[in-house]
Amino acid sequence: AFGLSLMVLLLLGVVRNDILKTWEQTVPSTAPNQFMINIEPDQLAGLKAFFQEEVGQEPFSLPLIRGRLTEVNGTPVKQVKVANAQGAAFLQREANLTWTDTLPASNVVTGGIWWGAGYAGPLQLSLDAELATNLGVKVGDSLTFNVAGEDIQAPITSLRTIEWDSFQPNFYVVLSPGVSADLPQTYLASAYVPRDRVEMLSRLVRQFPGVTVLDLEVILSQVRSVIDKASMAVQYVFLFTLLAGVVVLLAAI
């Protein structure tokens, strides 16, 4: 009983530290707090140079392609039976697609094979693993998307899990390079701007009037506030439980 009690108290301390550390890492202090959309392809290089000059680093950017899923394995989506309501909702709206040869840091391949850097072969498709479950598809199946009136078909060659709380641009559907680069597209980007440099955003809007800037600092501040309050609650619960455990341990002795 003495050894078991000590083990439980020590385990409580370790778990408490892990919980606090996990919460602190959920929204790091340098998480992207500015998102930019409607960036034309010919503006991207200038935008990156602007951020490099102002804050010393380029924003993370990805192409944005709008498309609607029309066929699954050659069968029109109206005749496809999906696994749940989330899958049905995806069939009823336009999807945001992107293309890249580099696997984003917040993505992990859980099935199939990522095409890798420098890929220049036939069009391939990587799908979020949860979305694949919702649609009832797997690696090897093919999907057809209609993009600006043009149908593009590609096989699913990999499935990914996505860390959505990374505050980086993430997509359910990622296309391989090649044909994707010729599709109608704009770019979106995210960057961290220190509060003492926020005035640069006004110069950004003047230099790139067509770019829409979304300031997420208020939302991030609220999220950090909730995490801080939750951390404090865990601290108090830990102290109370530790005190109660010591009392029980002394009684057992």
PDB file of all heavy atoms in Angstrom, residues 63-83:
ATOM      1  N   PRO A  63      -1.086  27.141 -53.001  1.00  0.00           N
ATOM      2  CA  PRO A  63      -2.111  27.485 -53.987  1.00  0.00           C
ATOM      3  C   PRO A  63      -3.508  27.127 -53.468  1.00  0.00           C
ATOM      4  O   PRO A  63      -3.654  26.215 -52.639  1.00  0.00           O
ATOM      5  CB  PRO A  63      -1.744  26.631 -55.206  1.00  0.00           C
ATOM      6  CG  PRO A  63      -0.361  26.135 -54.952  1.00  0.00           C
ATOM      7  CD  PRO A  63      -0.180  26.078 -53.476  1.00  0.00           C
ATOM      8  N   LEU A  64      -4.488  27.829 -53.935  1.00  0.00           N
ATOM      9  CA  LEU A  64      -5.884  27.565 -53.579  1.00  0.00           C
ATOM     10  C   LEU A  64      -6.686  27.386 -54.854  1.00  0.00           C
ATOM     11  O   LEU A  64      -6.772  28.298 -55.683  1.00  0.00           O
ATOM     12  CB  LEU A  64      -6.456  28.704 -52.747  1.00  0.00           C
ATOM     13  CG  LEU A  64      -7.955  28.628 -52.425  1.00  0.00           C
ATOM     14  CD1 LEU A  64      -8.258  27.374 -51.607  1.00  0.00           C
ATOM     15  CD2 LEU A  64      -8.423  29.869 -51.685  1.00  0.00           C
ATOM     16  N   ILE A  65      -7.259  26.194 -55.027  1.00  0.00           N
ATOM     17  CA  ILE A  65      -8.057  25.846 -56.210  1.00  0.00           C
ATOM     18  C   ILE A  65      -9.455  25.456 -55.734  1.00  0.00           C
ATOM     19  O   ILE A  65      -9.597  24.657 -54.800  1.00  0.00           O
ATOM     20  CB  ILE A  65      -7.418  24.676 -56.982  1.00  0.00           C
ATOM     21  CG1 ILE A  65      -5.985  25.030 -57.406  1.00  0.00           C
ATOM     22  CG2 ILE A  65      -8.253  24.307 -58.199  1.00  0.00           C
ATOM     23  CD1 ILE A  65      -5.206  23.839 -57.949  1.00  0.00           C
ATOM     24  N   ARG A  66     -10.459  26.020 -56.348  1.00  0.00           N
ATOM     25  CA  ARG A  66     -11.837  25.690 -56.002  1.00  0.00           C
ATOM     26  C   ARG A  66     -12.350  24.619 -56.960  1.00  0.00           C
ATOM     27  O   ARG A  66     -12.248  24.759 -58.189  1.00  0.00           O
ATOM     28  CB  ARG A  66     -12.721  26.927 -56.096  1.00  0.00           C
ATOM     29  CG  ARG A  66     -12.333  28.044 -55.151  1.00  0.00           C
ATOM     30  CD  ARG A  66     -12.702  27.727 -53.733  1.00  0.00           C
ATOM     31  NE  ARG A  66     -14.149  27.757 -53.556  1.00  0.00           N
ATOM     32  CZ  ARG A  66     -14.765  27.389 -52.424  1.00  0.00           C
ATOM     33  NH1 ARG A  66     -14.052  26.924 -51.415  1.00  0.00           N
ATOM     34  NH2 ARG A  66     -16.069  27.458 -52.332  1.00  0.00           N
ATOM     35  N   GLY A  67     -12.898  23.543 -56.427  1.00  0.00           N
ATOM     36  CA  GLY A  67     -13.421  22.466 -57.256  1.00  0.00           C
ATOM     37  C   GLY A  67     -14.524  21.719 -56.547  1.00  0.00           C
ATOM     38  O   GLY A  67     -14.633  21.762 -55.320  1.00  0.00           O
ATOM     39  N   ARG A  68     -15.339  21.038 -57.304  1.00  0.00           N
ATOM     40  CA  ARG A  68     -16.444  20.251 -56.733  1.00  0.00           C
ATOM     41  C   ARG A  68     -16.279  18.791 -57.132  1.00  0.00           C
ATOM     42  O   ARG A  68     -16.032  18.477 -58.304  1.00  0.00           O
ATOM     43  CB  ARG A  68     -17.793  20.780 -57.232  1.00  0.00           C
ATOM     44  CG  ARG A  68     -18.998  20.048 -56.636  1.00  0.00           C
ATOM     45  CD  ARG A  68     -20.292  20.608 -57.197  1.00  0.00           C
ATOM     46  NE  ARG A  68     -20.528  21.951 -56.748  1.00  0.00           N
ATOM     47  CZ  ARG A  68     -21.143  22.270 -55.594  1.00  0.00           C
ATOM     48  NH1 ARG A  68     -21.573  21.297 -54.796  1.00  0.00           N
ATOM     49  NH2 ARG A  68     -21.332  23.520 -55.263  1.00  0.00           N
ATOM     50  N   LEU A  69     -16.399  17.906 -56.161  1.00  0.00           N
ATOM     51  CA  LEU A  69     -16.315  16.471 -56.434  1.00  0.00           C
ATOM     52  C   LEU A  69     -17.536  16.037 -57.235  1.00  0.00           C
ATOM     53  O   LEU A  69     -18.678  16.265 -56.822  1.00  0.00           O
ATOM     54  CB  LEU A  69     -16.232  15.693 -55.114  1.00  0.00           C
ATOM     55  CG  LEU A  69     -16.108  14.171 -55.219  1.00  0.00           C
ATOM     56  CD1 LEU A  69     -14.816  13.776 -55.934  1.00  0.00           C
ATOM     57  CD2 LEU A  69     -16.140  13.536 -53.821  1.00  0.00           C
ATOM     58  N   THR A  70     -17.301  15.421 -58.391  1.00  0.00           N
ATOM     59  CA  THR A  70     -18.404  15.022 -59.273  1.00  0.00           C
ATOM     60  C   THR A  70     -18.526  13.513 -59.435  1.00  0.00           C
ATOM     61  O   THR A  70     -19.627  13.009 -59.677  1.00  0.00           O
ATOM     62  CB  THR A  70     -18.237  15.652 -60.666  1.00  0.00           C
ATOM     63  OG1 THR A  70     -16.966  15.253 -61.220  1.00  0.00           O
ATOM     64  CG2 THR A  70     -18.301  17.169 -60.578  1.00  0.00           C
ATOM     65  N   GLU A  71     -17.419  12.771 -59.309  1.00  0.00           N
ATOM     66  CA  GLU A  71     -17.468  11.322 -59.494  1.00  0.00           C
ATOM     67  C   GLU A  71     -16.523  10.626 -58.527  1.00  0.00           C
ATOM     68  O   GLU A  71     -15.465  11.163 -58.176  1.00  0.00           O
ATOM     69  CB  GLU A  71     -17.077  10.937 -60.936  1.00  0.00           C
ATOM     70  CG  GLU A  71     -18.053  11.411 -62.001  1.00  0.00           C
ATOM     71  CD  GLU A  71     -17.616  10.981 -63.399  1.00  0.00           C
ATOM     72  OE1 GLU A  71     -16.500  10.429 -63.528  1.00  0.00           O
ATOM     73  OE2 GLU A  71     -18.378  11.205 -64.358  1.00  0.00           O
ATOM     74  N   VAL A  72     -16.932   9.438 -58.112  1.00  0.00           N
ATOM     75  CA  VAL A  72     -16.092   8.564 -57.289  1.00  0.00           C
ATOM     76  C   VAL A  72     -15.981   7.231 -58.018  1.00  0.00           C
ATOM     77  O   VAL A  72     -16.983   6.541 -58.227  1.00  0.00           O
ATOM     78  CB  VAL A  72     -16.690   8.346 -55.881  1.00  0.00           C
ATOM     79  CG1 VAL A  72     -15.824   7.372 -55.080  1.00  0.00           C
ATOM     80  CG2 VAL A  72     -16.814   9.678 -55.147  1.00  0.00           C
ATOM     81  N   ASN A  73     -14.782   6.904 -58.464  1.00  0.00           N
ATOM     82  CA  ASN A  73     -14.553   5.684 -59.255  1.00  0.00           C
ATOM     83  C   ASN A  73     -15.440   5.650 -60.498  1.00  0.00           C
ATOM     84  O   ASN A  73     -15.970   4.595 -60.875  1.00  0.00           O
ATOM     85  CB  ASN A  73     -14.780   4.437 -58.403  1.00  0.00           C
ATOM     86  CG  ASN A  73     -13.721   4.265 -57.324  1.00  0.00           C
ATOM     87  OD1 ASN A  73     -12.542   4.579 -57.532  1.00  0.00           O
ATOM     88  ND2 ASN A  73     -14.136   3.788 -56.163  1.00  0.00           N
ATOM     89  N   GLY A  74     -15.629   6.828 -61.113  1.00  0.00           N
ATOM     90  CA  GLY A  74     -16.428   6.910 -62.334  1.00  0.00           C
ATOM     91  C   GLY A  74     -17.919   6.966 -62.104  1.00  0.00           C
ATOM     92  O   GLY A  74     -18.683   7.090 -63.070  1.00  0.00           O
ATOM     93  N   THR A  75     -18.373   6.883 -60.858  1.00  0.00           N
ATOM     94  CA  THR A  75     -19.805   6.936 -60.542  1.00  0.00           C
ATOM     95  C   THR A  75     -20.183   8.345 -60.104  1.00  0.00           C
ATOM     96  O   THR A  75     -19.531   8.904 -59.208  1.00  0.00           O
ATOM     97  CB  THR A  75     -20.149   5.950 -59.410  1.00  0.00           C
ATOM     98  OG1 THR A  75     -19.759   4.628 -59.795  1.00  0.00           O
ATOM     99  CG2 THR A  75     -21.634   5.976 -59.110  1.00  0.00           C
ATOM    100  N   PRO A  76     -21.208   8.952 -60.713  1.00  0.00           N
ATOM    101  CA  PRO A  76     -21.626  10.293 -60.291  1.00  0.00           C
ATOM    102  C   PRO A  76     -21.938  10.329 -58.791  1.00  0.00           C
ATOM    103  O   PRO A  76     -22.455   9.362 -58.226  1.00  0.00           O
ATOM    104  CB  PRO A  76     -22.887  10.555 -61.130  1.00  0.00           C
ATOM    105  CG  PRO A  76     -22.713   9.690 -62.341  1.00  0.00           C
ATOM    106  CD  PRO A  76     -22.012   8.459 -61.855  1.00  0.00           C
ATOM    107  N   VAL A  77     -21.608  11.446 -58.142  1.00  0.00           N
ATOM    108  CA  VAL A  77     -21.759  11.534 -56.691  1.00  0.00           C
ATOM    109  C   VAL A  77     -23.213  11.380 -56.250  1.00  0.00           C
ATOM    110  O   VAL A  77     -23.480  10.972 -55.108  1.00  0.00           O
ATOM    111  CB  VAL A  77     -21.184  12.869 -56.178  1.00  0.00           C
ATOM    112  CG1 VAL A  77     -19.686  12.916 -56.354  1.00  0.00           C
ATOM    113  CG2 VAL A  77     -21.849  14.054 -56.869  1.00  0.00           C
ATOM    114  N   LYS A  78     -24.177  11.685 -57.130  1.00  0.00           N
ATOM    115  CA  LYS A  78     -25.581  11.520 -56.758  1.00  0.00           C
ATOM    116  C   LYS A  78     -25.927  10.053 -56.536  1.00  0.00           C
ATOM    117  O   LYS A  78     -26.910   9.737 -55.850  1.00  0.00           O
ATOM    118  CB  LYS A  78     -26.483  12.117 -57.845  1.00  0.00           C
ATOM    119  CG  LYS A  78     -26.394  13.634 -57.954  1.00  0.00           C
ATOM    120  CD  LYS A  78     -27.353  14.165 -59.006  1.00  0.00           C
ATOM    121  CE  LYS A  78     -27.287  15.676 -59.092  1.00  0.00           C
ATOM    122  NZ  LYS A  78     -28.221  16.227 -60.114  1.00  0.00           N
ATOM    123  N   GLN A  79     -25.132   9.152 -57.123  1.00  0.00           N
ATOM    124  CA  GLN A  79     -25.392   7.728 -56.962  1.00  0.00           C
ATOM    125  C   GLN A  79     -24.457   7.068 -55.939  1.00  0.00           C
ATOM    126  O   GLN A  79     -24.526   5.873 -55.733  1.00  0.00           O
ATOM    127  CB  GLN A  79     -25.232   7.029 -58.308  1.00  0.00           C
ATOM    128  CG  GLN A  79     -26.122   7.594 -59.416  1.00  0.00           C
ATOM    129  CD  GLN A  79     -25.841   6.945 -60.761  1.00  0.00           C
ATOM    130  OE1 GLN A  79     -25.246   5.882 -60.862  1.00  0.00           O
ATOM    131  NE2 GLN A  79     -26.281   7.604 -61.845  1.00  0.00           N
ATOM    132  N   VAL A  80     -23.597   7.865 -55.343  1.00  0.00           N
ATOM    133  CA  VAL A  80     -22.626   7.327 -54.383  1.00  0.00           C
ATOM    134  C   VAL A  80     -23.221   7.347 -52.983  1.00  0.00           C
ATOM    135  O   VAL A  80     -23.799   8.348 -52.549  1.00  0.00           O
ATOM    136  CB  VAL A  80     -21.323   8.146 -54.422  1.00  0.00           C
ATOM    137  CG1 VAL A  80     -20.378   7.693 -53.313  1.00  0.00           C
ATOM    138  CG2 VAL A  80     -20.646   8.017 -55.775  1.00  0.00           C
ATOM    139  N   LYS A  81     -23.074   6.241 -52.273  1.00  0.00           N
ATOM    140  CA  LYS A  81     -23.522   6.152 -50.879  1.00  0.00           C
ATOM    141  C   LYS A  81     -22.310   6.379 -49.976  1.00  0.00           C
ATOM    142  O   LYS A  81     -21.374   5.576 -49.968  1.00  0.00           O
ATOM    143  CB  LYS A  81     -24.151   4.794 -50.594  1.00  0.00           C
ATOM    144  CG  LYS A  81     -25.461   4.550 -51.334  1.00  0.00           C
ATOM    145  CD  LYS A  81     -26.076   3.213 -50.952  1.00  0.00           C
ATOM    146  CE  LYS A  81     -27.401   2.989 -51.673  1.00  0.00           C
ATOM    147  NZ  LYS A  81     -28.018   1.678 -51.314  1.00  0.00           N
ATOM    148  N   VAL A  82     -22.340   7.482 -49.246  1.00  0.00           N
ATOM    149  CA  VAL A  82     -21.230   7.819 -48.356  1.00  0.00           C
ATOM    150  C   VAL A  82     -21.477   7.218 -46.984  1.00  0.00           C
ATOM    151  O   VAL A  82     -22.578   6.742 -46.673  1.00  0.00           O
ATOM    152  CB  VAL A  82     -21.047   9.342 -48.259  1.00  0.00           C
ATOM    153  CG1 VAL A  82     -20.636   9.913 -49.598  1.00  0.00           C
ATOM    154  CG2 VAL A  82     -22.331  10.000 -47.772  1.00  0.00           C
ATOM    155  N   ALA A  83     -20.428   7.260 -46.132  1.00  0.00           N
ATOM    156  CA  ALA A  83     -20.492   6.574 -44.845  1.00  0.00           C
ATOM    157  C   ALA A  83     -21.309   7.334 -43.809  1.00  0.00           C
ATOM    158  O   ALA A  83     -21.935   6.729 -42.937  1.00  0.00           O
ATOM    159  CB  ALA A  83     -19.070   6.326 -44.319  1.00  0.00           C
TER     160      ALA A  83
END
